[in-house]
Structure formats: C-alpha cells, structure tokens
Amino acid sequence: MTFGFASSSTASLSPPAASANRVLEPAEWAAAGIPLLRNPREVVSGLHARHHPKPATAIVAVLDPDERLRASASFAARPAPADGWMLRNVLLSQLRRVIPHDLRRRTPVRTAVLLYCREGEGRWTEEDGAWMWGLRDACTLHGLRCGAYITLTGEGWRVLSEGRGGRRPNARSAPEPLALSTAPPPPPRAGGASSEVLRATAR
C-alpha cells in the first residue's frame, strides 16, 4: 500500500508582518524530549521508497506506537523565509489531509516525524530550526506526539540532535523496492469517518 502525495496549496502563505521568525535551536530540540526512533533507517528507507523525494521536498509521516506507518504525505517546499509559523500551517494542512486528529485523547498515541530532502550538508541550519518549530506546533494542534526531524541530503540521512544517520538512502540514490525497505502498513479498519479518510489517501 502506497500513501498519497499531497500537493500543498498553503506553502505560499506568508505569516503576519508582525510575527517574528520561529526557529528551534538544536539544544532546544534536544531538551524537548523527542522520542527516539527504534529503527530510523527503516523509517527513512520506507518513506524514501514511497515518495521518491528530491531536494526541496518534505515528507510528514504518522507512526503508530509500534512504528508502523499509518499515513504520510509529501509536498514541495517552496522558497520562503525560514519561519516556523508558516511551516506549521503547511504541515497541519498535510496532516489534516491524510489522517484524523487525536485531540480527544488525553495522551498522544501516534507520532509524527518529518523527513526533509534538501541540498547542502546534513548539519543543522536555520531552515531546519523552522521545520522543527513547525512540526512541534503542528503535532500539538493535531493531537500527536512530536517525533524525529530527519534531513536527507547528498551525504545521506541524519536524525538531527541524535547523532544517528547513514549514507543510504540519500538525496541522489534510487529508491529501494518498497518490499525491501519496509513492510506495508496494515489496511485501515472498515467503517467510520477515519477509515474513509485513510482510504481516500491510500493508493
């Protein structure tokens, strides 16, 4: 099962003129208690195989407690100032497209992770800090746990603030066959609005 690509119509939104850039520094991200992925390479390889990202492509994915992929969306990140407010709106729009919110739960169960394919080196940039701020805020507004932020460059992939990474996949490598990268997620349960949303975004 492959999850749908969602082309963002909100990426061109501009924040209010009075708003300051919202960026998380690596130390702030590390102190936020972001849960560690048990098998980051499997997550990265699975998303790479499903979405075939090129530079300036972002992939937001929702994982269940067993780190199985429940939904994902990829979209082009249009050039814009590094501002977490704007990126939060883009991410929230994508999450709403692919999976129902969990705001009724007292404690978040599912986790959202973000993979950003870009040029340059894998180390932190101000743009990464804006994506981190946006991911954290979008997760709060959608009832999800904020998960890992991963860069994918020509050097390979890197989970920022964790020191974990690898050379493959990278921004230039061909995707592995999906069956080799990760097992497909289980089909959604029949019936109800939630399954209708998942069914509409899976192909």
Side-chain angles (χ1 to χ4, degrees), residues 21-74:
N21 286 0
R22 294 159 174 90
V23 174
L24 284 180
E25 298 284 342
E28 295 175 294
W29 182 258
I34 306 300
L36 300 179
L37 290 170
R38 291 194 298 270
N39 193 336
R41 187 188 185 284
E42 183 176 299
V43 172
V44 173
S45 297
L47 294 177
H48 188 260
R50 282 182 168 84
H51 294 278
H52 305 186
K54 302 297 182 185
T57 301
I59 304 171
V60 61
V62 179
L63 310 177
D64 70 11
D66 295 322
E67 284 194 6
R68 291 176 297 187
L69 183 64
R70 305 307 305 181
S72 63
S74 65

Side-chain angles (χ1 to χ4, degrees), residues 13 17 25 64-65 80 110 113 120 126 145 156 162 180 188 190 192 195-196:
L13 287 176
E25 298 284 342
D64 70 11
R110 297 182 291 194
V113 300
E126 186 176 353
R145 288 199 310 169
E162 290 187 21
L180 296 180
S195 63
E196 288 301 321

Side-chain angles (χ1 to χ4, degrees), residues 1-7 49-52 69-74 98 178 184-185 187-188 196-203:
M1 182 182 297
T2 304
F3 286 71
F5 292 65
S7 177
R50 282 182 168 84
H51 294 278
H52 305 186
L69 183 64
R70 305 307 305 181
S72 63
S74 65
V98 299
L178 189 58
E196 288 301 321
V197 174
L198 289 173
R199 190 177 301 113
T201 58
R203 66 184 184 97

Side-chain angles (χ1 to χ4, degrees), residues 1-2 16 40 50 54 68 73 85 90 97 101 103 105 118 121 135 140 144 150 178 198 203:
M1 182 182 297
T2 304
R50 282 182 168 84
K54 302 297 182 185
R68 291 176 297 187
W85 181 90
V90 175
R97 288 172 186 262
H101 67 74
L103 293 172
R105 293 183 179 273
R118 61 168 173 78
E121 300 177 350
L135 177 63
T140 298
L144 302 170
I150 306 160
L178 189 58
L198 289 173
R203 66 184 184 97

Side-chain angles (χ1 to χ4, degrees), residues 73-87:
S74 65
F75 54 97
R78 300 175 186 174
D83 190 287
W85 181 90
M86 180 183 67
L87 299 178

Side-chain angles (χ1 to χ4, degrees), residues 168-183:
R168 294 184 68 87
N170 58 59
R172 302 184 182 92
S173 64
E176 296 178 356
L178 189 58
L180 296 180
S181 62
T182 183

Side-chain angles (χ1 to χ4, degrees), residues 70-193:
R70 305 307 305 181
S72 63
S74 65
F75 54 97
R78 300 175 186 174
D83 190 287
W85 181 90
M86 180 183 67
L87 299 178
R88 183 277 308 275
N89 291 342
V90 175
L91 290 169
L92 191 58
S93 173
Q94 300 299 330
L95 289 169
R96 287 170 175 166
R97 288 172 186 262
V98 299
I99 199 161
H101 67 74
D102 276 347
L103 293 172
R104 293 183 180 87
R105 293 183 179 273
R106 292 185 178 180
T107 304
V109 174
R110 297 182 291 194
T111 302
V113 300
L114 181 63
L115 173 69
Y116 184 43
C117 182
R118 61 168 173 78
E119 301 286 0
E121 300 177 350
R123 59 187 175 185
W124 184 90
T125 66
E126 186 176 353
E127 183 184 23
D128 295 321
W131 281 112
M132 289 171 164
W133 193 100
L135 177 63
R136 186 185 65 176
D137 215 43
C139 287
T140 298
L141 294 174
H142 206 65
L144 302 170
R145 288 199 310 169
C146 180
Y149 174 75
I150 306 160
T151 58
L152 187 71
T153 67
E155 297 177 344
W157 59 272
R158 185 175 181 182
V159 185
L160 291 195
S161 297
E162 290 187 21
R164 294 191 290 175
R167 294 184 179 180
R168 294 184 68 87
N170 58 59
R172 302 184 182 92
S173 64
E176 296 178 356
L178 189 58
L180 296 180
S181 62
T182 183
R189 295 178 181 177

